[in-house]
Amino acid sequence: MVKLTIDLIARCTSGYTKKKRDESVQHYLKRLTHLYLEDRGIDEIGDDDMAMCRNLTVLYLYDNRLCKVPNLNQNQNVTHLYLQNNEISRIERLSPLRRLSKLYLGGNHITVVEGLEKLDQLQELHLENQNLPPGEKLLFDPRSLLMMSTCIQVLNVSGNYLDSIRDLECLRQMTQFMASDNSLNDMKELAHLVSSWRHLWRLELMGNPLCHRPKYRDRVIVMAHKLEVLDGKEISENSRQFLMKWQASKDANKRKKERSRKAVALEHTYGLPRKQFDEVLARSASLPNSAAAAGRGLGPKAQSDMSVPKYRNTYGTTIHNYQSVPTFEPGNAHATRGLITIGKDLASGDLLAFDT
């Protein structure tokens, strides 16, 4: 067991802040700004052990055996806190550190991201590779997420068995996101998130199942227009422009196919190509009981009646190979208004449309 002592603190400083020969310990500890206590086997820090280091801004306590976050109530000037690779299981006792901007907690035993509600200056949070119980994944307390949404710019959650990052959508200030070696597999979810993170320029996702999707890298670059680094590799502007044009061409072809599909659907619905049907209505508009004059359109559930080869309307026009199609009330595909007969005039050979 190694307990933090005043003597240990005095010996763990850099050459720039060595204790002067005639300087008191109290005065020396008061002027310390950086304290290097990493890899000392420390497993206990008393509540008042750090009290005299009131001007401390950077505290290195990584690679020790701490089971909990030390009491830093008297160290409210700390901006950088390094606690990775300890045995900490809960994020707590950080509320007094209102100036904290970078927090390193990777390699501990944390299961829930919590206790950050007061840290409105926190810009970087590193939580990679927690030693989680079998079958569990890292979780986020909504209250801490709400605070993080206003300030977090860098988040590292690599190696924490995450299968979804949907809860992180609120982190709109994100510039760097590291989530390698998880279980992420949803490209649509990723696309939704990166569209919300408008300032994102670095993204690390290696070791996730989605990385094996076809054209994974190309698709991610198209999703995030401002991305500069993906999985440790820079994105050149030429590559970005090429992929953006490729995507635009792909989208245009997709829209073209969709228009063609709708045109075929219309032809099946009305029995005639839409353009030809419009021409029939236009030619028939001058007739007294024409469908065009009545202002009626064809309904989406057109039905054909080909039971007889000829039809003579009340105005003496003889129609050959006619097709009777129901019309519907506007906005109601179930309320039938009547029938429109479409066929060929025996005298002129023209296609005509009549109410019947």
Side-chain angles (χ1 to χ4, degrees):
M1 293 180 61
V2 178
K3 185 179 186 302
L4 186 64
T5 62
I6 297 297
D7 181 62
L8 183 57
I9 293 176
R11 289 188 286 110
C12 295
T13 56
S14 69
Y16 296 102
T17 55
K18 288 291 185 180
K19 180 179 176 298
K20 298 176 183 179
R21 181 173 300 180
D22 57 348
E23 187 177 21
S24 67
V25 173
Q26 291 79 4
H27 185 272
Y28 169 64
L29 295 179
K30 186 176 180 180
R31 69 179 178 88
L32 283 179
T33 58
H34 291 60
L35 191 53
Y36 302 87
L37 296 170
E38 71 276 8
D39 196 18
R40 300 282 176 167
I42 300 171
D43 57 5
E44 184 181 353
I45 298 179
D47 287 347
D48 298 322
D49 288 347
M50 306 287 296
M52 287 187 286
C53 304
R54 293 181 177 272
N55 289 312
L56 197 64
T57 58
V58 180
L59 176 57
Y60 297 95
L61 275 169
Y62 60 86
D63 293 340
N64 282 294
R65 299 176 182 175
L66 296 173
C67 294
K68 59 183 180 180
V69 176
N71 184 358
L72 300 173
N73 286 344
Q74 305 301 320
N75 310 103
Q76 299 182 14
N77 291 316
V78 170
T79 60
H80 295 53
L81 181 57
Y82 296 80
L83 289 168
Q84 61 267 44
N85 301 327
N86 280 280
E87 299 177 12
I88 298 169
S89 59
R90 186 177 180 183
I91 304 175
E92 58 184 349
R93 303 205 290 189
L94 293 176
S95 296
L97 307 183
R98 302 300 294 270
R99 299 183 182 182
L100 189 65
S101 62
K102 296 184 180 182
L103 177 59
Y104 294 80
L105 286 166
N108 280 284
H109 299 265
I110 296 166
T111 57
V112 180
V113 181
E114 59 185 346
L116 306 177
E117 295 83 359
K118 303 293 185 179
L119 305 183
D120 56 1
Q121 300 298 312
L122 189 63
Q123 297 178 4
E124 294 190 23
L125 179 59
H126 299 263
L127 294 160
E128 70 281 2
N129 302 319
Q130 297 300 317
N131 298 293
L132 298 169
E136 292 194 18
K137 60 184 179 181
L138 187 66
L139 302 175
F140 292 84
D141 182 353
R143 293 168 296 180
S144 289
L145 271 179
L146 182 61
M147 175 54 70
M148 292 167 61
S149 68
T150 66
C151 54
I152 284 292
Q153 299 177 16
V154 179
L155 179 62
N156 188 346
V157 290
S158 297
N160 285 309
Y161 304 101
L162 296 174
D163 54 11
S164 174
I165 51 176
R166 187 180 303 275
D167 291 343
L168 306 182
E169 179 187 354
C170 63
L171 306 182
R172 302 298 175 91
Q173 306 302 317
M174 190 90 75
T175 61
Q176 302 180 59
F177 181 61
M178 289 76 83
S180 302
D181 300 321
N182 281 294
S183 302
L184 303 176
N185 196 33
D186 192 335
M187 289 294 289
K188 289 184 178 180
E189 178 183 271
L190 178 63
H192 182 70
L193 261 68
V194 297
S195 65
S196 301
W197 299 340
R198 300 184 181 277
H199 307 289
L200 187 71
W201 65 265
R202 179 188 175 192
L203 181 62
E204 305 289 341
L205 294 172
M206 287 298 293
N208 284 283
L210 58 75
C211 296
H212 302 294
R213 297 289 188 91
K215 295 187 179 298
Y216 150 75
R217 183 175 176 85
D218 295 348
R219 292 169 67 184
V220 174
I221 293 174
V222 171
M223 290 174 191
H225 298 170
K226 294 185 178 181
L227 204 61
E228 298 177 12
V229 178
L230 175 59
D231 297 332
K233 297 180 180 179
E234 291 188 6
I235 302 169
S236 69
E237 190 58 30
N238 288 339
S239 296
R240 188 195 314 278
Q241 292 301 323
F242 173 81
L243 290 171
M244 295 299 290
K245 291 179 180 178
W246 165 76
Q247 184 65 39
S249 176
K250 183 178 178 181
D251 292 343
N253 289 334
K254 185 177 180 180
R255 289 192 296 270
K256 183 177 180 181
K257 289 181 180 179
E258 181 65 16
R259 287 195 296 269
S260 298
R261 186 192 67 78
K262 289 181 178 180
V264 170
L266 283 172
E267 182 174 346
H268 289 168
T269 300
Y270 296 116
L272 291 171
R274 181 57 184 262
K275 182 177 180 181
Q276 186 177 357
F277 178 73
D278 290 342
E279 292 174 353
V280 170
L281 291 181
R283 286 199 302 270
S284 305
S286 60
L287 297 175
N289 64 337
S290 69
R296 299 177 183 177
L298 294 178
K301 297 184 178 180
Q303 300 173 356
S304 299
D305 182 0
M306 300 293 291
S307 57
V308 293
K310 295 181 181 180
Y311 166 78
R312 181 181 295 276
N313 75 343
T314 57
Y315 292 88
T317 305
T318 301
I319 305 296
H320 179 65
N321 288 340
Y322 70 88
Q323 179 175 339
S324 295
V325 184
T327 61
F328 299 87
E329 295 289 348
N332 189 346
H334 302 286
T336 305
R337 295 178 59 178
L339 291 176
I340 291 178
T341 298
I342 303 174
K344 183 178 291 186
D345 186 346
L346 286 180
S348 65
D350 291 335
L351 286 171
L352 299 174
F354 294 92
D355 283 339
T356 57

